[in-house]
Amino acid sequence: MKIGAMASSIRLPLPEAAAKFQDMRLSGIQLFATSELLSYSGREISEAKKICADAGLEISAVCGDMTSLRFGVTSEMSERVNIVKKIIDLTCKLDSRIVTTHIGVVPEDVNDPVFQNMAESIGECAEYAAKCGAFFAIETGPEAAETLLKLIESVNSNGLKVNFDPANLRMVSCIDPVHAVEVLGKYIIHTHAKDGINLTPGSPAARYKMYHADGSLRSIPDPVPVFKEVPLGEGQVPWSDYLAALKKVGYNGFLTIEREQGDTREKDIRHAADFLRERI
């Protein structure tokens, strides 16, 4: 497995972030899709690729979490799909092939109109990715692995994969990431290396919010879970067992360090890289 980091985690312009990651001896960098990045000219895209290449960094993936449009809301599906297609095009121009994104909370009931809308809109994104030689990877988090698996199997596209984030599962859903790897293993194409602690259990749907197909907010009576993200090794992700599970299912891609909180992110990313090297 290779070690990378999200450019957005270090909160520096790309040239400076790439230089920092090179100094940390990382192998990859995940970029974050923004309106500015989507508007890059061919020259600007070439410059971004050169910055990464000169630092010895492979662009492991592009994160597509750039809007609040919801895959399961009928009136927003078309616009959401069009944005994802633009991100896929950008990703291919950057010589990467993986787009990762959150998709919202997947209903457990396959007959739920939101589930069906998600299968339709995500299926269109996945098929477009496949035609481009790319992959659309759903990030784990608010639902059980079995529920996400039902959606993936319902879509049934070679272009649909999983971006596995073990901390999201532990922090928000109190789900064992080792079990989730066993369920989703063959679909995992990219991962985030992040850690966290669940302080008070609750409903992931209450945290992320669930909507009806018409866009109205669902009433969730359960409490919101309380959690915090922490540096790698200080949370509830069982790293040795988790990494062993990834190896067992044949995963040999990136462990992309993500640090979303804290005031010592550069230090935390450097620590995370060393932490992972000791274990892989």
Side-chain angles (χ1 to χ4, degrees):
M1 284 179 270
K2 299 173 285 186
I3 301 172
M6 290 192 71
S8 59
S9 291
I10 203 166
R11 297 182 292 188
L12 291 172
L14 181 59
E16 296 174 46
K20 292 286 187 181
F21 291 170
Q22 181 181 31
D23 182 62
M24 296 176 193
R25 298 182 292 117
L26 301 184
S27 300
I29 185 169
Q30 181 176 6
L31 303 183
F32 200 105
T34 61
S35 297
E36 179 185 5
L37 189 58
L38 284 177
S39 66
Y40 267 19
S41 65
R43 177 183 60 80
E44 289 172 314
I45 289 174
S46 295
E47 288 177 354
K49 290 195 296 184
K50 186 175 188 303
I51 288 168
C52 296
D54 287 349
L57 300 170
E58 177 184 344
I59 299 175
S60 66
V62 173
C63 179
D65 292 342
M66 64 173 289
T67 74
S68 60
L69 293 171
R70 298 157 293 183
F71 286 94
V73 174
T74 305
S75 62
E76 299 180 8
M77 289 166 57
S78 178
E79 188 174 357
R80 176 73 260 187
V81 168
N82 288 337
I83 290 174
V84 170
K85 288 180 178 179
K86 291 178 182 178
I87 297 172
I88 291 169
D89 290 340
L90 168 68
T91 301
C92 293
K93 290 175 183 176
L94 288 166
D95 294 335
S96 186
R97 65 191 186 114
I98 301 170
V99 172
T100 72
T101 191
H102 289 277
I103 61 169
V105 185
V106 181
E108 293 183 8
D109 183 3
V110 298
N111 295 313
D112 189 307
V114 169
F115 185 102
Q116 296 171 353
N117 280 355
M118 282 183 160
E120 179 183 341
S121 57
I122 290 167
E124 187 174 348
C125 294
E127 284 299 287
Y128 185 82
K131 290 176 183 177
C132 296
F135 299 96
F136 180 72
I138 300 170
E139 182 159 344
T140 55
E143 61 278 313
E146 288 81 2
T147 300
L148 182 55
L149 180 64
K150 284 193 292 186
L151 178 67
I152 293 170
E153 291 180 339
S154 178
V155 170
N156 190 28
S157 170
N158 291 331
L160 187 58
K161 300 292 182 180
V162 169
N163 178 54
F164 199 98
D165 189 315
N168 289 348
L169 294 172
R170 279 300 311 140
M171 290 190 303
V172 184
S173 305
C174 296
I175 290 172
D176 176 15
V178 173
H179 171 71
V181 168
E182 293 169 351
V183 173
L184 298 168
K186 69 178 182 178
Y187 295 105
I188 300 171
I189 198 169
H190 191 263
T191 74
H192 282 164
K194 189 169 73 182
D195 210 342
I197 298 172
N198 179 274
L199 302 172
T200 306
S203 167
R207 169 62 177 83
Y208 285 103
K209 298 182 180 179
M210 282 191 78
Y211 297 87
H212 294 287
D214 64 4
S216 60
L217 185 65
R218 298 190 187 201
S219 176
I220 307 294
D222 302 314
V224 176
V226 179
F227 57 87
K228 67 175 181 177
E229 183 204 345
V230 297
L232 254 62
E234 298 181 16
Q236 295 171 332
V237 174
W239 284 99
S240 295
D241 291 342
Y242 168 63
L243 292 171
L246 286 176
K247 291 178 182 178
K248 186 175 180 180
V249 299
Y251 180 74
N252 196 34
F254 271 97
L255 301 168
T256 298
I257 299 161
E258 182 179 23
R259 188 71 170 111
E260 295 182 303
Q261 299 176 4
D263 297 321
T264 58
R265 295 194 189 191
E266 180 179 340
K267 175 185 175 183
D268 293 343
I269 294 169
R270 192 178 296 275
H271 160 75
D274 292 338
F275 179 89
L276 291 171
R277 286 191 190 100
E278 293 174 359
R279 287 159 178 76
I280 62 172

